[in-house]
Amino acid sequence: MKKLFRYLKPYRFPIGFVLILIFLQSLSDLYLPTLLADIVDHGIVLGDTPYIWRIGGLMLLVAAFGAICSVAAGYLSSRVSAGFGMRLRGEMFRHVENFSLQEFDKIGTASLITRTTNDITQVQQVLTMMLRMMISAPMLCIGGILMAVSKDAKLSLIFVAVIPILALAIFTIVSRGMPLFKALQKKLDRLNLVLRESLTGIRVVRSFNRIEHEKRRFGEANRDLTDTATKVNRIMAAMMPVMMLIMNFSSIAIIWFGSIRIDNNHMQVGDLMAFLQYAMQILFSLMMVSMMFVMIPRASASATRINEVLDTVPDISDPAEPKRGDGRRGWLAFENVTFHYPGAEKPALERISFEARPGEVTAIIGGTGSGKSTLVSLIPRFYDVTEGSVRIDGVDVRELSQAELRAKIGYVPQQAVLFSGSIAENIRYGKEDATDEEITHAAEVAQAADFISEMKDGYDSVIAQGGTNVSGGQKQRLSIARALVRHPEIYVFDDSFSALDFKTDAKLRAAMRRETTEATVLIVAQRVSTVMDADRIVVLEDGAIAGMGTHRELMESSQVYREIVASQLAEEEIA
Ligand code: ADP
Ligand code: MG
């Protein structure tokens, strides 16, 4: 947790202020019982009314002062801890944005969300507690003991008996609760995971009639979390009554022995009353410390989880001295590229070499699982190659800055992703300063203009979260428009035409050819008709190149390609 406190640096001054305020408040707390003793022993016993008024007034002033300090400290400390939470969340988000896909795979999206929200809240809560108690607990405890001893040293011996009992009780309870807190966060992760999966997969859940199954799965995770939480709370619930019991017995002991001492004229009534209050302050401060002991392990479990994220060094980072391209635009080359997914036995790609040049269309075709998506994801450096190199404009992509590299690329993923917002906003995602003309033009080329104009609000129509209110093919065309509006050097279409009918597919590619005369275009596809007129076709099989050339050349030279063509022609003939 200590490591996280470096994010408190900008709050040095408010924190200092809080500590001073709480110091003052604790002073007033310690002073009040003494004044009370004075009123009782001098004012009431001697019947000195003006004295009672004077000291009573002073008591009111001191109490009001303490209250003001307390309110101000509360205000400041909640601002500090809310600000701290905000900075930490921001820092997490920024850091996670730099992760390569490997790190996402490792920690998991659901856990990243819990860590950014719930875990930070835990740390934040402890921080608030700590700010309040760091000063006041030791002051009230030590100050209380000093004051109590000054009132009556012999009676203070009661503490020698009570404090060890209290400590033992606290220790027993806390040591049983601590391990459960760690488990609690893990179970929360699990609950989030199940919830996310069944919400995002709601269509699949419905269509496969797995609602009951999902309910059960959620129910289990929910129950698991609840059981642990109940167990923890049951243990912690014992804390309060045990403490109160010990405190009340202490009061009885103090009054019992105190009244004997008053009888023997060793003590005055007011002093006993003050003594009783100091005893309460001491025991309360010990209780607060024990509450800290309860919360700190939970928060430190959370802090560990947060640090795990913050300490993850993204696999993919910018080189110390990024190189620049050699002035060419859009020259892409794979040189003997081999790639392993971490933990995978077989390489997903093996010794891939080819070149793609501006003004050309290079197509990649192959069965599912042949490594097409993997191949194109190496270009924007979602993953780094295991061997060989991917070069753009003569420079290894690992030597370019990521921002510069990605600015060169217009990438359309296999799974079209849209963001909630208007259609225009979604297209503008590709180029922030795109004019309206550029956006309509991109939409026209992507064959999206027709369906957009049919929508009620045209380009201002709202896309629902996850793009659920447009069809798969419409989604694909919008994400193509998003890439087109950038005018990048290199276009990468990962199976982006799969949901389009043949006619739209052909129209789109014809329009795009006019648009991308100077750019390098990489098209991943399953359909022969999509790749047939490409300048170069790369045939992938099991992660290796099984043939390369134009359609005509491949028909002669590549068995694999002929098989693909034959299977699809047969299908079309039947259809
Ligand atoms: P394609 O796009 O040609 O259908 P992919 O490139 O998506 O194929 O997948 C190629 C191979 O790599 C598959 O065998 C798949 O199991 C594996 N693979 C894909 N993504 C990952 C990943 N994130 N982690 C591990 N293996 C993966
Ligand atoms: Mg794929």
Side-chain angles (χ1 to χ4, degrees):
M1 193 145 45
K2 242 189 269 153
K3 258 167 82 186
L4 293 181
F5 286 161
R6 65 171 181 266
Y7 295 102
L8 281 175
K9 243 198 190 146
Y11 302 104
R12 284 190 301 269
F13 292 112
I15 289 176
F17 222 53
V18 168
L19 297 185
I20 292 172
L21 285 168
I22 291 180
F23 176 78
L24 294 175
Q25 187 216 336
S26 305
L27 275 187
S28 79
D29 282 352
L30 285 173
Y31 190 33
L32 280 172
T34 306
L35 288 176
L36 178 73
D38 283 349
I39 288 191
V40 175
D41 293 341
H42 299 192
I44 297 179
V45 174
L46 302 178
D48 186 347
T49 315
Y51 183 85
I52 296 177
W53 277 112
R54 217 173 54 241
I55 302 296
L58 184 60
M59 276 183 85
L60 273 180
L61 275 181
V62 172
F65 175 74
I68 290 171
C69 287
S70 168
V71 170
Y75 174 78
L76 277 176
S77 64
S78 46
R79 285 197 63 139
V80 167
S81 59
F84 167 77
M86 188 185 82
R87 281 177 61 87
L88 198 51
R89 274 192 300 272
E91 191 55 39
M92 286 269 266
F93 184 75
R94 253 196 307 285
H95 192 68
V96 168
E97 288 282 291
N98 287 329
F99 277 11
S100 77
L101 298 186
Q102 262 163 43
E103 282 92 42
F104 278 103
D105 293 348
K106 205 167 69 196
I107 301 182
T109 320
S111 185
L112 278 173
I113 293 177
T114 330
R115 288 172 203 228
T116 316
T117 50
N118 183 284
D119 281 305
I120 289 184
T121 312
Q122 300 293 342
V123 176
Q124 207 177 319
Q125 269 172 4
V126 162
L127 179 67
T128 320
M129 288 261 289
M130 257 164 85
L131 282 179
R132 293 203 65 88
M133 300 190 176
M134 207 160 60
I135 294 279
S136 70
M139 262 187 77
L140 288 183
C141 183
I142 296 168
I145 291 176
L146 289 179
M147 296 303 281
V149 170
S150 79
K151 292 290 167 216
D152 192 320
K154 272 220 176 112
L155 198 55
S156 305
L157 286 175
I158 287 179
F159 295 127
V160 179
V162 174
I163 290 177
I165 297 176
L166 192 71
L168 188 72
I170 291 172
F171 177 79
T172 316
I173 293 171
V174 171
S175 63
R176 291 185 55 197
M178 268 205 240
L180 292 175
F181 281 117
K182 284 196 183 139
L184 213 55
Q185 293 309 101
K186 280 224 187 71
K187 301 197 167 176
L188 195 63
D189 266 358
R190 169 88 196 141
L191 188 80
N192 263 344
L193 176 86
V194 174
L195 184 62
R196 259 180 66 87
E197 275 187 356
S198 63
L199 287 184
T200 47
I202 189 73
R203 283 151 207 260
V204 181
V205 174
R206 291 270 157 83
S207 60
F208 283 90
N209 260 329
R210 298 293 274 177
I211 296 177
E212 282 310 312
H213 173 256
E214 286 300 314
K215 271 189 194 159
R216 213 166 37 240
R217 220 156 69 99
F218 185 80
E220 273 162 23
N222 198 1
R223 175 136 310 278
D224 198 23
L225 176 67
T226 312
D227 284 347
T228 313
T230 320
K231 229 186 268 171
V232 170
N233 285 333
R234 216 161 26 214
I235 294 172
M236 289 308 152
M239 185 94 114
M240 210 56 186
V242 170
M243 299 292 144
M244 292 312 284
L245 199 70
I246 294 176
M247 284 213 321
N248 288 333
F249 271 113
S250 317
S251 307
I252 295 175
I254 289 167
I255 294 170
W256 182 288
F257 292 111
S259 44
I260 295 175
R261 288 182 65 74
I262 290 173
D263 254 0
N264 298 340
N265 275 333
H266 286 135
M267 198 182 188
Q268 288 181 300
V269 177
D271 280 346
L272 179 62
M273 291 173 72
F275 192 96
L276 206 54
Q277 290 199 354
Y278 287 126
M280 291 303 120
Q281 281 177 359
I282 295 164
L283 298 181
F284 255 119
S285 64
L286 288 175
M287 241 173 80
M288 290 199 291
V289 172
S290 69
M291 290 306 283
M292 289 292 298
F293 276 115
V294 173
M295 292 188 70
I296 285 178
R298 182 169 194 189
S300 79
S302 288
T304 311
R305 286 157 50 90
I306 295 168
N307 278 324
E308 258 169 33
V309 176
L310 291 177
D311 291 346
T312 302
V313 181
D315 243 4
I316 290 179
S317 57
D318 277 343
E321 283 173 35
K323 286 196 187 165
R324 307 195 62 108
D326 59 7
R328 292 183 290 181
R329 280 178 55 91
W331 288 68
L332 171 72
F334 273 63
E335 289 176 0
N336 237 338
V337 170
T338 297
F339 174 73
H340 276 271
Y341 278 108
E345 241 173 71
K346 272 182 34 184
L349 292 174
E350 233 181 329
R351 288 199 295 282
I352 304 283
S353 296
F354 70 90
E355 265 190 43
R357 283 188 288 261
E360 290 182 351
V361 175
T362 302
I364 297 166
I365 194 167
T368 33
S370 56
K372 304 183 297 295
S373 296
T374 308
L375 189 152
V376 294
S377 69
L378 297 180
I379 302 170
R381 243 187 127 196
F382 292 154
Y383 296 99
D384 268 344
V385 298
T386 317
E387 275 168 49
S389 63
V390 177
R391 291 175 178 275
I392 288 182
D393 302 336
V395 184
D396 192 315
V397 289
R398 286 168 293 188
E399 290 174 339
L400 289 165
S401 81
Q402 290 173 72
E404 199 188 336
L405 166 66
R406 288 169 190 159
K408 290 171 185 282
I409 300 169
Y411 172 73
V412 184
Q414 184 164 16
Q415 287 283 339
V417 175
L418 298 180
F419 295 90
S420 44
S422 73
I423 286 186
E425 276 166 11
N426 264 288
I427 298 178
R428 195 168 273 132
Y429 206 84
K431 185 178 173 213
E432 256 173 273
D433 53 359
T435 60
D436 289 347
E437 285 74 42
E438 283 179 290
I439 287 179
T440 30
H441 180 68
E444 273 161 18
V445 176
Q447 308 299 311
D450 285 348
F451 81 81
I452 294 175
S453 59
E454 276 165 27
M455 292 174 98
K456 205 165 96 278
D457 299 319
Y459 284 85
D460 295 324
S461 310
V462 172
I463 300 283
Q465 191 188 1
T468 42
N469 60 346
V470 282
S471 80
Q474 289 170 339
K475 235 194 293 192
Q476 279 191 340
R477 276 176 277 171
L478 287 177
S479 64
I480 291 170
R482 179 173 60 200
L484 283 170
V485 80
R486 273 186 106 138
H487 294 294
E489 294 172 28
I490 300 172
Y491 287 91
V492 177
F493 298 99
D494 187 357
D495 228 342
S496 315
F497 311 108
S498 59
L500 306 182
D501 53 67
F502 283 93
K503 208 175 99 204
T504 316
D505 181 4
K507 261 166 67 184
L508 198 160
R509 273 180 301 110
M512 248 175 40
R513 227 174 220 260
R514 287 194 294 277
E515 187 71 4
T516 60
T517 44
E518 279 166 20
T520 309
V521 180
L522 224 69
I523 296 180
V524 170
Q526 309 255 13
R527 277 193 217 140
V528 175
S529 63
T530 310
V531 303
M532 225 154 66
D533 48 2
D535 299 296
R536 185 183 302 99
I537 303 172
V538 178
V539 186
L540 271 190
E541 194 184 37
D542 289 338
I545 293 185
M548 185 154 62
T550 60
H551 176 69
R552 211 175 273 277
E553 290 162 5
L554 285 170
M555 281 308 278
E556 303 215 330
S557 63
S558 171
Q559 177 67 23
V560 181
Y561 188 70
R562 272 199 303 271
E563 276 169 19
I564 297 175
V565 173
S567 69
Q568 295 193 7
L569 284 184
E571 265 172 37
E572 275 163 49
E573 275 161 9
I574 293 164

